[in-house]
Structures are given as structure tokens and as C-alpha cells.
Amino acid sequence: MPLKRFLLALLSAPLLPAALQAALGESEYHPLAVFVIAAIAIYVLQLVVGIPGYLFLRRTGRLRLPAHALLGF
């Protein structure tokens, strides 16, 4: 996977779940605040689980969709 594609996926993946949480979630806080907090939480989770998992899958040669989907769940 080219580096540009990896970085684009890394930066854009948390945006949709954070936007859905801000738009559809029942909260007493402003939707922008909910979006920012949700995005930061998902980015932290992605740094802790996603990047090491991707590096492990790449090292073992398992770069197929089922392996990535299993890691994501």
C-alpha cells in the first residue's frame, strides 16, 4: 500500500463515526464539541490498536480484506 493511501485512510477513517455521533447522538453538549471529542477518542484508539495491528499484518503478509476486517472488529 502506498504511503499516501495509508495516510489518507489513517486521517479520514475516524471522521464519519465522529460526525454520526455528533449528528445523531442525544447529548446536552454542542454537536461540534461531541464531534471533536469523538474524533480524538477514535484517533487515540486507532494509534493504540490500528497502527500496530496494520504493521503486524504487513509483517506477516496478511494484507487481505478479511484480516483487516477482523482487526477492525
Side-chain angles (χ1 to χ4, degrees):
M1 176 184 290
L3 184 60
K4 285 183 184 181
R5 186 172 163 193
F6 173 72
L7 290 175
L8 180 64
L10 183 74
L11 295 175
S12 65
L15 296 180
L16 181 61
L20 287 175
Q21 176 66 28
L24 302 177
E26 295 294 326
S27 177
E28 60 188 47
Y29 300 108
H30 192 275
L32 182 59
V34 174
F35 172 77
V36 169
I37 291 170
I40 289 172
I42 294 170
Y43 278 123
V44 168
L45 183 64
Q46 188 174 355
L47 288 173
V48 171
V49 176
I51 292 175
Y54 171 76
L55 294 174
F56 174 75
L57 290 177
R58 189 177 72 175
R59 187 174 17 154
T60 59
R62 297 180 182 154
L63 293 177
R64 302 281 184 204
L65 181 61
H68 284 280
L70 185 61
L71 176 68
F73 288 123

